[in-house]
């Protein structure tokens, strides 16, 4: 099992997409994936729809990993990202990411929260 990293997923899904969205999602997110963000839960299909919307809006983005930890099938990471949207909006956030990895190393379940930074 080679575990995935959320910073790589963000780059491949939204900031520097090199292929089709479904290919990037399959690389990082297991079947039955569940995404929990700030109290909202999405199944894999809803998560894919969210990612498609983000991908369509991002002109450029970068992610910087601040802390990262693996403990068996548990993963935690803190990062900051900056992105510019098609309407010119600049977004700069710090995120806290907690995940359970599937046996194959992809994300199975995720809990994340974050806040805007200057």
């Amino acid at each position: 099992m080679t575990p995935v990293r959320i910073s790589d997923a963000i780059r491949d899904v939204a900031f520097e997409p090199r292929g089709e969205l479904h290919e990037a999602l399959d690389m990082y997110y297991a079947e039955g994936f569940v995404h929990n963000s700030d109290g909202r839960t999405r199944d894999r299909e809803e998560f894919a729809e969210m990612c498609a919307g983000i991908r369509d809006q991002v002109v450029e983005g970068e992610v910087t990993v601040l802390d990262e930890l693996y403990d068996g099938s548990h993963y935690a990471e803190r990062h900051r990202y900056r992105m510019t949207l098609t309407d010119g909006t600049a977004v700069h956030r710090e995120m806290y990411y907690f995940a359970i990895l599937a046996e194959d190393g992809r994300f199975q379940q995720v809990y994340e929260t974050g806040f805007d930074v200057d």
Side-chain angles (χ1 to χ4, degrees), residues 1-117:
M1 167 182 92
T2 302
V4 294
R5 301 178 71 206
I6 189 57
S7 56
D8 293 336
I10 291 168
R11 287 183 194 101
D12 287 347
V13 169
F15 292 171
E16 302 167 15
R18 294 179 290 232
E20 296 294 322
L21 177 59
H22 70 89
E23 293 170 346
L25 292 174
D26 287 346
M27 187 180 320
Y28 296 101
Y29 302 97
E31 293 300 318
F33 171 73
V34 177
H35 179 257
N36 301 282
S37 180
D38 294 324
R40 175 147 187 214
T41 300
R42 293 177 178 89
D43 63 20
R44 195 170 192 271
E45 184 177 323
E46 293 168 320
F47 179 73
E49 291 171 10
M50 180 191 77
C51 290
I54 292 169
R55 188 181 242 203
D56 287 345
Q57 294 180 29
V58 174
V59 173
E60 64 181 356
E62 65 181 45
V63 59
T64 303
V65 175
L66 303 171
D67 299 294
E68 187 173 44
L69 174 70
Y70 292 93
D71 183 14
S73 64
H74 296 271
Y75 174 78
E77 193 256 18
R78 179 174 70 105
H79 66 262
R80 285 192 175 186
Y81 70 81
R82 291 181 186 272
M83 67 180 171
T84 304
L85 305 179
T86 54
D87 67 1
T89 302
V91 179
H92 185 199
R93 291 186 53 84
E94 183 165 320
M95 300 297 296
Y96 297 87
Y97 196 86
F98 304 94
I100 297 171
L101 303 174
E103 287 185 21
D104 64 6
R106 295 183 295 166
F107 297 118
Q108 183 68 60
Q109 191 165 13
V110 165
Y111 298 87
E112 70 176 357
T113 191
F115 55 90
D116 294 335
V117 293

